[in-house]
Amino acid sequence: MREQLAGIQFAATSSAEQPIARASAQLTAFVGRTLRGPLHQPIIVRSFADFQQHFGGLWQPSPLSYAVEHFFEQGGRQAVIVRVANAAAPVTLSLKCGRETLRLEARAPGTREFLRASIDYDNIESGEEQTFNLVIQRVRSPGSERVEEQETFRALSVDPQSPRYVTSVLLESDLMRVRGSVPMLRPDRTLMPGTNLPVGYVSSNPDGDDGKPITDYDVIGSAARCTGLFALENVDDLAFVYIPPLARVIDVGVSALLVATRFCRDKRAMLIVDPPSSWESTSEAIRSLKALDFRSDNALLFFPRISAMDRLRGRVEVFGNGGAVAGLLSRSGEAVAAAVTEREPEPMLRSSAKLAREVNSSDRWLLAAMGVNVLQSVRNPDREWPALRTLACGASASSDWSYLAQRRFSLFVVNAIERGTRWCSGSPNTASTWMRVSRQISNFLSELRSAGAFASVPADQAFLVICDERINDEADGINILVQFAAMHAGAYHSFMLTHRPGGATVRPVMVNRFEATLVVSRELEQEITLRLTPKDDLISVLALN
């Protein structure tokens, strides 16, 4: 359908006809302790000033705050922050109700929630003895008149039977909620100090607590309650996830890394891992890696740590490098460009950060063989340097995925296809839908081919899309088989994507293009066999659990 208005043409198309977006996957998630802010709620920030507004800025007990600063200094564009805490307590606020007290408490725990409240009876009929208006403000500091956030609630009631019952209505507040029981009398009007003039404010009590240093369990959180790391479950477009050190001298534990790696695999993102603080040399790093035996094609690690100015202490300190690495990778270009370029850019730090220790050229290659990348603060005089690696280090099902650029590219392709074909989850499981899905994905992959992807094979062997009766029946859900060429000649990456009304699943599969049967996994744990005899290539698919 086309419409024209003031010389401008508008074209409306169905979702199936819209191209799959080739957006840059560069969103980095940080999970850890902050000075203030809501718990277990992912919030996107686009600058360090944004971070200061939502989470309070730099705080010495918070390595995350320094990591976010390094991220933006090194070229990061946007980050999503999840605050976690250990035994932190919220401030309270006491409103007099005659001889009783209505107590409110902050939604976010910590000592830096500076809140105040005002009560008035404006536009409330004189006979309404249970009704009142409430204004809640967050201010910059105690006694400050600089208001950072304000909420107004009109015609609240202390009557539990009222639809405007204060306890129920404040469930919608981002700042405060009712703590304990509600008195039968409404709160007294707040007056300006020393006068009978409205409107005054009652400030929050100094009874908040920032809690103890966080642990691996706080970071991991709960999948059922969507806390900790699992607060990111519904965040789209994640490229990297980073868990900063738990404290200045406490590294993230192996348990948190293992859970985070599994989470990143399911979300098709990359986990950035800090080098342990104990790594003082290349030999020590290699020895520790062998002992740890931590391998994953969804994780990456750079060595060494970085030195940067601690603006709170006024001196140079050593920090984990994950925030700087995320910023560096974000500015180095989108996943497609990183995969098709003839030569990767050097992992160069900007001048705001230096290397905590130098690494010579021969050690770079030794570390690369173990899946460890090396940061640089000056340009490498050598004409050749190791390609950036993942921590797969030969343990992956695909040799491509030992290399960071190729792993990022494959994740980008699958994520883009999954997002771009979500429209079909509500469509009938018919030949018409299958054909539209196949055309949409084929167009997307053809565009990537034109941009330089899949260059290791001829154009007619670059990719394969199957969405028809061979892998679909009347069962709930639409199955899509996608295969595209790897960088190494003769190798392919293959995935089975299933769209259902409740969401989508993606499973890697192995494809043999010269067999005469098609084996497709209908369930995550069980395999069934389905026959097909295509005209051209005969393929066999074995689903990997």
Side-chain angles (χ1 to χ4, degrees):
M1 181 181 68
R2 292 185 178 271
E3 297 181 6
Q4 190 163 351
L5 180 62
I8 301 176
Q9 274 197 343
F10 298 88
T13 63
S14 70
S15 297
E17 304 306 322
Q18 294 177 0
I20 293 175
R22 187 179 147 181
S24 298
Q26 295 172 336
L27 184 62
T28 300
F30 294 79
V31 182
R33 193 182 188 193
T34 66
L35 182 59
R36 70 179 193 190
L39 290 177
H40 312 298
Q41 180 180 332
I43 295 179
I44 291 180
V45 296
R46 293 178 173 83
S47 66
F48 193 69
D50 275 359
F51 177 79
Q52 288 177 306
Q53 179 180 352
H54 290 287
F55 297 97
L58 292 179
W59 185 38
Q60 288 191 21
S62 169
L64 182 147
S65 64
Y66 291 93
V68 173
E69 181 183 44
H70 301 155
F71 172 77
F72 287 111
E73 286 178 346
Q74 293 299 323
R77 301 174 187 178
Q78 61 177 352
V80 56
I81 313 297
V82 174
R83 181 194 181 196
V84 299
N86 179 11
V91 298
T92 63
L93 190 149
S94 304
L95 295 170
K96 291 296 183 182
C97 305
R99 295 184 178 181
E100 298 183 89
T101 301
L102 173 62
R103 292 175 65 83
L104 307 179
E105 68 177 15
R107 281 278 187 179
T111 61
R112 306 304 174 93
E113 285 290 290
F114 305 120
L115 302 171
R116 64 183 190 180
S118 173
I119 301 295
D120 68 71
Y121 306 148
D122 295 348
N123 299 317
I124 294 176
E125 297 181 7
S126 57
E128 292 288 343
E129 296 294 333
Q130 294 181 310
T131 307
F132 62 98
N133 302 318
L134 170 65
V135 176
I136 303 173
Q137 294 179 341
R138 175 194 283 130
V139 294
R140 172 59 61 89
S141 60
S144 171
E145 291 300 321
R146 181 168 180 178
V147 177
E148 294 183 328
E149 191 171 352
Q150 175 174 300
E151 297 177 339
T152 301
F153 301 94
R154 301 290 184 188
L156 297 179
S157 176
V158 295
D159 180 3
Q161 303 304 316
S162 170
R164 298 289 297 169
Y165 184 48
V166 59
T167 299
S168 301
V169 174
L170 286 190
L171 292 176
E172 303 173 3
S173 170
D174 291 328
L175 296 178
M176 304 202 82
R177 58 188 170 192
V178 173
R179 180 173 181 173
S181 59
V182 176
M184 294 302 296
L185 294 176
R186 66 183 176 180
D188 300 342
R189 182 189 283 113
T190 52
L191 305 176
M192 287 180 154
T195 74
N196 289 322
L197 300 175
V199 171
Y201 289 91
V202 175
S203 296
S204 53
N205 305 309
D207 53 357
D209 191 336
D210 293 321
K212 306 172 184 177
I214 58 175
T215 68
D216 288 336
Y217 297 104
D218 299 311
V219 168
I220 293 170
S222 165
R225 298 192 301 272
C226 292
T227 60
L229 185 68
F230 295 97
L232 297 167
E233 184 63 46
N234 295 319
V235 176
D236 278 338
D237 300 325
L238 276 183
F240 305 105
V241 174
Y242 175 51
I243 304 173
L246 305 180
R248 289 274 182 148
V249 295
I250 304 176
D251 293 332
V252 178
V254 175
S255 59
L257 292 179
L258 291 174
V259 174
T261 302
R262 175 65 181 268
F263 178 83
C264 287
R265 188 189 72 182
D266 294 342
K267 290 288 292 182
R268 299 180 297 280
M270 296 296 298
L271 176 68
I272 298 175
V273 181
D274 274 328
S277 55
S278 60
W279 287 9
E280 297 290 340
S281 65
T282 299
S283 58
E284 189 169 9
I286 292 175
R287 185 169 59 252
S288 297
L289 272 174
K290 289 180 178 178
L292 182 61
D293 196 28
F294 177 71
R295 298 285 180 263
S296 172
D297 50 28
N298 280 92
L300 62 101
L301 187 152
F302 278 76
F303 179 78
R305 292 197 167 205
I306 62 171
S307 297
M309 176 60 69
D310 183 339
R311 293 192 285 114
L312 294 182
R313 293 182 174 179
R315 63 174 185 255
V316 174
E317 296 276 352
V318 175
F319 297 93
N321 63 28
V325 166
L328 183 156
L329 293 175
S330 294
R331 77 165 191 260
S332 65
E334 63 172 13
V336 175
V340 303
T341 185
E342 293 184 4
R343 191 174 191 180
E344 281 184 308
E346 295 179 87
M348 290 278 297
L349 292 172
R350 289 179 174 173
S351 59
S352 58
K354 305 296 182 184
L355 301 182
R357 54 188 46 84
E358 295 298 326
V359 180
N360 62 42
S361 179
S362 59
D363 284 347
R364 292 175 189 273
W365 290 96
L366 288 174
L367 289 168
M370 298 295 296
V372 177
N373 307 295
V374 176
L375 288 170
Q376 297 173 210
S377 56
V378 296
R379 293 207 172 275
N380 193 338
D382 298 331
R383 299 182 62 182
E384 298 291 335
W385 56 83
L388 299 182
R389 310 295 180 96
T390 70
L391 280 172
C393 195
S396 175
S398 168
S399 56
D400 262 15
W401 293 349
S402 291
Y403 296 90
L404 178 58
Q406 301 311 316
R407 184 55 173 154
R408 286 183 66 191
F409 175 70
S410 66
L411 295 176
F412 158 78
V413 172
V414 176
N415 283 334
I417 292 174
E418 187 274 323
R419 289 193 305 271
T421 56
R422 286 178 184 174
W423 61 268
C424 73
S425 62
S427 301
N429 199 348
T430 61
S432 174
T433 301
W434 303 336
M435 182 174 63
R436 293 160 66 193
V437 169
S438 298
R439 183 169 62 246
Q440 185 187 24
I441 299 174
S442 296
N443 289 342
F444 171 67
L445 295 176
S446 295
E447 291 173 1
L448 295 183
R449 167 76 182 181
S450 298
F454 320 130
S456 63
V457 296
D460 60 348
Q461 299 177 26
F463 59 83
L464 174 71
V465 181
I466 295 179
C467 183
D468 56 25
E469 69 280 356
R470 292 174 288 180
I471 57 173
N472 287 287
D473 52 26
E474 296 181 357
D476 185 31
I478 294 179
N479 295 309
I480 309 165
L481 175 65
V482 179
Q483 181 191 63
F484 53 88
M487 281 295 292
H488 295 79
Y492 288 84
H493 302 308
S494 308
F495 298 88
M496 183 70 73
L497 171 62
T498 303
H499 280 292
R500 295 185 178 88
T505 59
V506 179
R507 306 187 299 277
V509 296
M510 292 180 62
V511 174
N512 182 344
R513 300 173 68 88
F514 302 103
E515 295 291 338
T517 60
L518 174 66
V519 183
V520 180
S521 174
R522 295 290 190 188
E523 302 174 358
L524 290 177
E525 302 298 336
Q526 302 293 327
E527 298 172 0
I528 63 172
T529 302
L530 180 66
R531 290 274 179 186
L532 93 117
T533 308
K535 294 181 180 178
D536 302 319
D537 290 337
L538 299 178
I539 62 176
S540 169
V541 182
L542 176 62
L544 292 178
N545 290 329

